[in-house]
């Protein structure tokens, strides 16, 4: 039922251009849900571009998102479009947006408000047609209260919130997930596995799964 509710909400909001915030623990399927949103949208034929805000050094994040002009900094020997431009007509997923530096938060807010970007070192305002969605495992409201995340940006990205439940909150799904993930792993590894025993699934059900579906997939592949 929890995942059906998520799917129904995605189907309702997908045809619009509303900004969507995916929340949930790491490994719960936020990126998979974002891809489902994109596939069901009118932008499905255009690219879905994803960037992990926690994985890019702060001094490179602006260039990655907005691009740069030639000579903007040492090593910039040619102009380059950023990921926002690369997602033109499609969807840009800002994963782990809670880790975005404060300076970049202000620049992203401007993009959401004006739908224009400026490449690093450039003066030209470039209009962009892109749907921005975000994902985080953090409590953004708590970050806003602590002054670590802009409140105005939070309200801009939190138009529609889609919460992905943890695996321990939907253990009724475990047998189906196991069957699907085992079949996928067997095909990838060239193994013939006909199924799983009730005792095996029962043993899995006794675990709390702090890493959620990602942890389950890892355990099944190893098994």
């Amino acid at each position: 039922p929890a995942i059906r509710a998520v799917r129904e909400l995605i189907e309702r909001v997908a045809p619009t251009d509303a900004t969507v915030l995916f929340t949930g623990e790491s490994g719960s399927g936020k990126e998979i849900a974002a891809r489902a949103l994109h596939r069901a949208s009118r932008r499905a034929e255009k690219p879905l571009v994803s960037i992990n805000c926690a994985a890019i050094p702060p001094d490179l994040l602006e260039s990655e998102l907005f691009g740069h002009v030639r000579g903007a900094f040492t090593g910039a020997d040619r102009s380059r479009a950023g990921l926002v431009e690369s997602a033109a007509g499609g969807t840009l997923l800002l994963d782990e947006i809670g880790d975005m530096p404060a300076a970049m938060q202000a620049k992203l807010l401007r993009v959401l408000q004006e739908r224009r970007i400026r490449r690093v070192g450039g003066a030209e305002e470039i209009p962009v047609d892109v749907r921005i969605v975000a994902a985080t495992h953090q409590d953004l409201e708590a970050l806003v209260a602590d002054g670590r995340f802009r409140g105005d940006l939070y309200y801009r990205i939190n138009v529609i919130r889609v919460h992905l439940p943890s695996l321990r909150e939907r253990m009724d799904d475990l047998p189906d997930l196991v069957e699907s993930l085992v079949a996928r792993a067997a095909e990838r590894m060239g193994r013939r596995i006909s199924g799983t025993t009730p005792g095996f699934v029962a043993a899995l059900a006794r675990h709390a799964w702090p890493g959620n579906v990602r942890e389950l997939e890892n355990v099944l592949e190893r098994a």
Side-chain angles (χ1 to χ4, degrees), residues 55-72:
I56 307 295
D59 56 336
L60 296 179
L61 187 56
E62 182 177 4
S63 176
E64 283 293 310
L65 278 175
F66 304 138
H68 59 260
V69 299
R70 182 179 179 182

Side-chain angles (χ1 to χ4, degrees), residues 95-178:
D95 200 7
E96 299 304 346
I97 195 170
D99 293 298
M100 179 174 282
M104 277 302 303
Q105 292 177 29
K107 292 176 180 177
L108 176 61
L109 178 64
R110 183 170 177 271
V111 174
L112 285 166
Q113 291 173 334
E114 301 179 13
R115 298 294 167 172
R116 292 177 176 271
I117 64 165
R118 182 182 297 166
R119 291 181 179 179
V120 176
E124 179 186 2
E125 294 269 324
I126 303 172
V128 290
D129 172 26
V130 62
R131 181 183 197 169
I132 295 179
V133 300
T136 184
H137 72 281
Q138 300 192 62
D139 183 344
L140 292 187
E141 291 180 353
L143 294 183
V144 170
D146 290 343
R148 291 186 289 159
F149 198 85
R150 293 181 64 107
D152 46 8
L153 177 58
Y154 170 67
Y155 295 120
R156 277 283 179 180
I157 63 174
N158 189 34
V159 178
I160 304 292
R161 179 181 295 206
V162 178
H163 181 71
L164 276 296
S166 65
L167 180 54
R168 63 185 171 277
E169 294 175 286
R170 54 187 188 102
M171 292 300 285
D172 286 348
D173 291 343
L174 186 66
D176 288 335
L177 281 169
V178 169

